[in-house]
């Protein structure tokens, strides 16, 4: 829930920052990124959390879920920490760029493109990010990707 003080105490007590939940394999960084808790994301990264450790169910990374949820500041932090912006889901090949384009997160699409995200990687239904943006009628993103 974004409780930085709790995260700080757990890290100080030696908690494994990459320990995944037993149900679906979410790491603390994945959950913080999903919820948009930038301060907790920053704390976990500083404590050595693996920015590319994927959710075991489908291979979603913290960057993927932050891009999906529209958390630009978290996306920016994860990219700065070395997150692989072209790492795709194991289930359908979708990348952070693809999901941001599909969900209409223009600023995130722009940020990912600025850092060299590959716009040719095909995701869900074998679509490119451009095709996903076209399907969802996200004109500003179509202009960025065209």
């Amino acid at each position: 829930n974004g409780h930085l003080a709790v995260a700080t105490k757990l890290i100080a007590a030696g908690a494994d920052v990459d320990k995944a939940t037993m149900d679906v394999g979410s790491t603390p960084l994945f959950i913080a990124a999903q919820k948009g808790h930038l301060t907790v994301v920053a704390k976990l990264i500083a404590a050595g959390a693996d920015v590319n450790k994927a959710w075991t169910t489908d291979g979603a990374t913290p960057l993927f879920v932050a891009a999906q949820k529209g958390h630009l500041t978290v996306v920016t932090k994860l990219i700065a920490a070395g997150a692989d912006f072209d790492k795709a889901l194991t289930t359908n090949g979708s990348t952070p760029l693809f999901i941001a384009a599909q969900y209409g997160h223009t600023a995130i699409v722009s940020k990912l493109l600025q850092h060299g995200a590959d716009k040719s990687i095909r995701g869900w239904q074998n679509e490119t990010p451009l095709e996903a943006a076209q399907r969802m009628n996200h004109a500003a993103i179509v202009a960025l990707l065209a």
Side-chain angles (χ1 to χ4, degrees):
N1 289 327
H3 299 294
L4 181 60
V6 173
T8 300
K9 285 182 181 184
L10 288 169
I11 291 167
D16 180 354
V17 294
D18 287 324
K19 181 73 174 171
T21 61
M22 294 191 62
D23 56 348
V24 294
S26 301
T27 64
L29 183 57
F30 182 92
I31 295 166
Q34 181 179 43
K35 302 283 185 176
H37 298 305
L38 179 61
T39 57
V40 175
V41 166
K43 185 70 173 181
L44 290 165
I45 289 170
D50 182 350
V51 296
N52 291 309
K53 187 165 184 177
W55 190 31
T56 57
T57 305
D58 65 4
T61 62
L63 180 59
F64 182 91
V65 75
Q68 180 182 35
K69 298 293 184 176
H71 301 307
L72 178 61
T73 57
V74 173
V75 165
T76 301
K77 184 69 175 173
L78 289 165
I79 290 172
D84 180 353
F85 40 79
D86 286 332
K87 191 168 184 177
L89 294 183
T90 56
T91 53
N92 65 27
S94 296
T95 62
L97 180 61
F98 180 93
I99 202 68
Q102 180 175 303
Y103 277 72
H105 301 305
T106 307
I108 292 173
V109 168
S110 179
K111 176 68 70 177
L112 290 165
L113 290 172
Q114 288 170 11
H115 285 87
D118 186 345
K119 60 185 179 178
S120 70
I121 297 174
R122 294 182 175 275
W124 184 71
Q125 293 189 336
N126 201 35
E127 289 180 331
T128 64
L130 173 60
E131 292 165 341
Q134 289 170 328
R135 175 175 44 84
M136 300 303 291
N137 297 313
H138 299 306
I141 294 173
V142 169
L144 284 172
L145 292 168

